Amino acid sequence: MSNFYRRWFWPLALPGLILFVAVVLVPFLIGLLYSFTSWRGTYFVGGSVWNSFVGWDNYARIFHSGKFLHSLVYTLEFTVIAVIIINVIALALAQMLDFVGKRVGLFRTVFFLPNLLGGLALGFIWQFIFQNVFSKILFGPSGLHIPFLMNMTQDATKNLFALVIMVTWQMAGYMMIIYVAGLNNIPKDLYEASAIDGASGVKRFRFITLPMLMPSITIVLFLSLANCLKLLDQNVALTNGAFNTSMLSLQILRTVRFTQPPDYGQAQAQAVVFFVLVAVIGLIQVYITKKREVEA
Amino acid sequence: MNHIMASGQAGSRNVRPKIPVGKVIVIVLLILFALCTLFPLLFLLINSFKDQGTIVASPMSLPSSWSFTYISSALEQIHFGRAVWITAVVTVIAVALIVFCSSMLSWVLVRSRTRSSSLILLLLTAAMLVPFQSLMYPLIHEFEGMGLKDLTGLVLMYGGFGLGMSVFLYHGFIKGVPMALEEAALIDGANIFRLFFGIVFPLVKPITVTVIILNSLWIWNDYLLPFLVLGNAEVKTLTLELYYAKMLSGQFSNPWELIFPAVLVSIIPVVVLYLFLQKYFIKGVTEGAVK
């Protein structure tokens, strides 16, 4: 039996493996190599790859350039705020749906709707909402007059929150669905037992819901962290990086446009740092939340 | 939760059952949240029927007439027919490629427990941590060298980049599929293709639906990869058409009478599909997460 599978292993595995090697593995390894060279996209300074080695120069330069560091910090700030807000709202929505119980299909359908649309399409709509509806009608001098919510796309700090509002609006429904599934998996007799023991709502949330929900929390945190760190489309659509609002993805993309000749070596060094950042944050988060998961 | 409600009403047993106040409050809150969620979409809808001046002057008002002038000119400007066709073809072929490759690959990875199979699985799952940005330039460079900086290359790139998550999903699912059926089929003399397409593939249908939905959503809406591969070429995907429609019109003079209807028509296909298949979308997202 196992001989049979072993005989057919390579023929069946190869189509996928070839794709994976060609599209992910090789470009990734080449990218590591190129981050140490003066790569200009179409040629290497000095002729060949091996003659254009500059050691850690690209890395030194990106950490000395204010732009990269700024986008790094900007991305981290955005991610921390967005992940917290997305999770709180998604969990609150899931709890409310769970509480209402039956006939929540319509709400689920509506809350998931924004996920169907690409970040670019949504970004264009929200750009108009922030620039006109927020600034002139809702929160303008003739409306509620909240200066912080006016002209949000023309200031780095305000834009950070504009992005948070938009991304929360888009992702909360997706994460809510994962939380709803998690809540459904919690055995109801745990709540019944605690009600008999006289536990308050807060206590039940703290000592039953949260621990039993840990597997969902692991997944939702991972997805929202990864999505926020890598955010690009919404950033492009809302400000296209103007007013110092480039996140890392956009910064990497624009480096080759704003250097003359296009400095792909430097962009690639940023990309490698970006990978390390995403991988380290992702692994640490999964490690920490996995440890807190309990068996049902 | 119901216990609390029940004990709260125990005192008023003789009165006819009241509608629980807590539930009403929560439902009202949910309705408010739902309206906030729908607002930008309704806003998009009403502004797709207005001219530039009206959109900017009174964005919240209903259009004075529901004429399709702006929608039809947007359809034309973003080459809607061609763009939808191209996007659909790219999405369908790429997703088919992902399903075909990752289901077979995961199956043999589960069934043959060798050192190479666990190394391959490790590599594939680790690749999920690699952001696309960290390999995009070498990837485009490599494919350009192979003469594949075109739609074919785009499909192959999606195929390769979608593999990690899909193999992860299939692998988790196939582990729970008993081998008995496969053994029986083998004894009956089925060859490898009969075995895979006749027995295994139908068994893993639930996770195939998940893989299809998650990958389709991503590929259909993707902006960056088509931007890098196709750029401002003659034939573009829908998202790319939208991008250029906005960007080429200038950063500060946004022609909203083009953008709103263009965004509207570009999201209609997915929204319609979702409203018909929402059960599968929700199920796909849930199963994609718990595996």
Side-chain angles (χ1 to χ4, degrees):
Chain A
M1 196 63 194
S2 68
N3 269 338
F4 174 82
Y5 288 115
R6 207 159 290 170
R7 185 150 44 94
W8 285 100
F9 182 83
W10 291 108
L12 294 185
L14 267 180
L17 286 182
I18 291 173
L19 264 184
F20 177 73
V21 169
V23 176
V24 182
L25 199 59
V26 169
F28 179 71
L29 296 175
I30 290 181
L32 286 180
L33 178 72
Y34 284 8
S35 71
F36 294 100
T37 67
S38 317
W39 181 33
R40 296 288 176 263
T42 45
Y43 65 96
F44 295 90
V45 175
S48 73
V49 189
W50 311 110
N51 289 334
S52 76
F53 255 86
V54 291
W56 293 94
D57 272 17
N58 287 329
Y59 290 89
R61 264 190 298 158
I62 60 169
F63 280 109
H64 280 115
S65 96
K67 275 200 158 163
F68 176 73
L69 279 182
H70 182 272
S71 64
L72 182 78
V73 174
Y74 201 69
T75 307
L76 291 176
E77 287 172 345
F78 164 76
T79 303
V80 170
I81 300 170
V83 165
I84 293 174
I85 294 184
I86 290 171
N87 274 271
V88 168
I89 292 194
L91 188 54
L93 288 177
Q95 285 259 299
M96 287 199 270
L97 287 191
D98 194 59
F99 178 67
V100 172
K102 295 262 151 38
R103 283 193 282 272
V104 292
L106 187 65
F107 286 117
R108 245 184 4 190
T109 307
V110 169
F111 291 139
F112 187 76
L113 210 51
N115 278 289
L116 301 171
L117 324 179
L120 207 65
L122 294 179
F124 291 155
I125 310 174
W126 275 95
Q127 187 191 35
F128 185 86
I129 294 180
F130 285 129
Q131 285 175 359
N132 288 272
V133 182
F134 269 37
S135 304
K136 289 179 191 155
I137 303 173
L138 292 179
F139 308 110
S142 53
L144 295 169
H145 199 72
I146 306 174
F148 185 78
L149 293 172
M150 290 163 60
N151 303 319
M152 292 186 83
T153 53
Q154 289 163 34
D155 172 282
T157 314
K158 287 185 189 178
N159 181 66
L160 193 75
F161 288 92
L163 273 174
V164 169
I165 293 173
M166 185 185 155
V167 170
T168 306
W169 176 79
Q170 190 182 2
M171 281 192 227
Y174 194 109
M175 305 307 166
M176 176 202 77
I177 284 176
I178 300 174
Y179 276 137
V180 167
L183 288 175
N184 282 338
N185 286 337
I186 302 178
K188 292 288 167 270
D189 46 346
L190 284 180
Y191 290 112
E192 279 160 23
S194 75
I196 293 168
D197 291 345
S200 68
V202 178
K203 279 222 164 112
R204 271 180 295 157
F205 180 75
R206 168 77 186 76
F207 293 108
I208 299 176
T209 312
L210 272 188
M212 295 301 286
L213 209 56
M214 260 347 255
S216 308
I217 295 179
T218 302
I219 294 151
V220 172
L221 270 184
F222 182 78
L223 287 177
S224 50
L225 259 177
N227 285 344
C228 288
L229 284 172
K230 299 184 210 166
L231 197 78
L232 173 77
D233 298 15
Q234 291 85 341
N235 198 192
V236 168
L238 220 50
T239 57
N240 207 10
F243 308 101
N244 265 328
T245 57
S246 287
M247 305 242 291
L248 275 174
S249 301
L250 187 56
Q251 169 64 25
I252 295 169
L253 191 62
R254 289 290 180 260
T255 298
V256 299
R257 185 190 285 182
F258 294 135
T259 46
Q260 214 34 264
D263 197 338
Y264 280 81
Q266 226 187 100
Q268 200 50 45
Q270 297 180 6
V272 171
V273 174
F274 185 41
F275 157 69
V276 173
L277 186 82
V278 172
V280 168
I281 293 179
L283 289 177
I284 291 178
Q285 178 261 313
V286 170
Y287 176 76
I288 293 177
T289 45
K290 272 261 175 211
K291 243 182 26 184
R292 290 170 160 264
E293 287 181 14
V294 288
E295 291 293 316
Chain B
M1 301 266 171
N2 287 329
H3 260 265
I4 299 301
M5 311 298 321
S7 60
Q9 283 162 18
S12 52
R13 202 175 297 148
N14 296 330
V15 196
R16 86 194 152 86
K18 280 188 227 155
I19 304 164
V21 182
K23 255 189 193 171
V24 173
I25 295 174
V26 168
I27 289 177
V28 170
L29 273 177
L30 281 171
I31 291 173
L32 282 177
F33 265 110
L35 289 178
C36 288
T37 310
L38 284 177
F39 168 72
L41 301 173
L42 296 175
F43 184 77
L44 168 71
L45 185 70
I46 58 170
N47 283 308
S48 296
F49 293 91
K50 299 193 227 165
D51 63 75
Q52 177 79 5
T54 325
I55 294 174
V56 175
S58 50
M60 309 271 264
S61 65
L62 286 176
S64 49
S65 71
W66 298 85
S67 97
F68 283 82
T69 337
Y70 305 108
I71 292 193
S72 65
S73 92
L75 285 172
E76 207 171 298
Q77 284 235 25
I78 62 167
H79 312 99
F80 184 74
R82 190 181 70 192
V84 163
W85 170 243
I86 291 295
T87 316
V89 168
V90 166
T91 308
V92 168
I93 299 181
V95 171
L97 189 66
I98 292 172
V99 166
F100 177 74
C101 290
S102 60
S103 59
M104 270 192 332
L105 178 56
S106 324
W107 181 52
V108 291
L109 284 181
V110 173
R111 293 293 183 238
S112 76
R113 299 233 174 79
T114 59
R115 205 172 305 153
S116 48
S117 71
S118 42
L119 178 74
I120 291 169
L121 183 69
L122 182 74
L123 271 178
L124 281 162
T125 35
M128 283 194 288
L129 284 168
V130 178
F132 175 70
Q133 276 79 8
S134 56
L135 50 79
M136 62 185 181
Y137 289 130
L139 174 69
I140 303 296
H141 185 63
E142 177 192 325
F143 271 64
E144 196 167 18
M146 296 192 291
L148 282 170
K149 205 179 168 209
D150 53 15
L151 285 171
T152 314
L154 190 63
V155 168
L156 292 174
M157 290 179 201
Y158 281 132
F161 219 68
L163 274 181
M165 185 195 61
S166 310
V167 167
F168 180 69
L169 292 173
Y170 270 118
H171 196 273
F173 190 86
I174 294 173
K175 265 198 297 196
V177 174
M179 268 174 75
L181 273 175
E182 294 171 29
E183 281 166 0
L186 270 182
I187 292 165
D188 288 349
N191 63 23
I192 190 81
F193 299 104
R194 265 307 291 259
L195 185 58
F196 184 72
F197 293 105
I199 310 282
V200 180
F201 198 68
L203 281 177
V204 298
K205 204 167 98 194
I207 207 71
T208 302
V209 173
T210 300
V211 168
I212 290 176
I213 284 174
L214 293 180
N215 282 302
S216 307
L217 267 185
W218 155 58
I219 296 174
W220 180 277
N221 286 320
D222 191 36
Y223 147 73
L224 183 54
L225 198 48
F227 174 73
L228 291 169
V229 174
L230 306 173
N232 201 359
E234 172 71 11
V235 176
K236 302 189 197 67
T237 62
L238 203 49
T239 316
L240 205 54
E241 288 280 3
L242 201 60
Y243 174 77
Y244 280 105
K246 173 91 162 33
M247 289 304 150
L248 295 180
S249 60
Q251 179 94 19
F252 296 104
S253 57
N254 289 318
W256 293 109
E257 60 180 24
L258 163 67
I259 313 265
F260 276 117
V263 170
L264 182 73
V265 293
S266 79
I267 68 174
I268 282 177
V270 201
V271 173
V272 169
L273 203 66
Y274 171 65
L275 294 179
F276 279 109
L277 302 174
Q278 45 138 326
K279 194 177 88 191
Y280 297 97
F281 273 79
I282 307 271
K283 222 175 127 234
V285 169
T286 325
E287 277 177 14
V290 285
K291 279 294 154 190

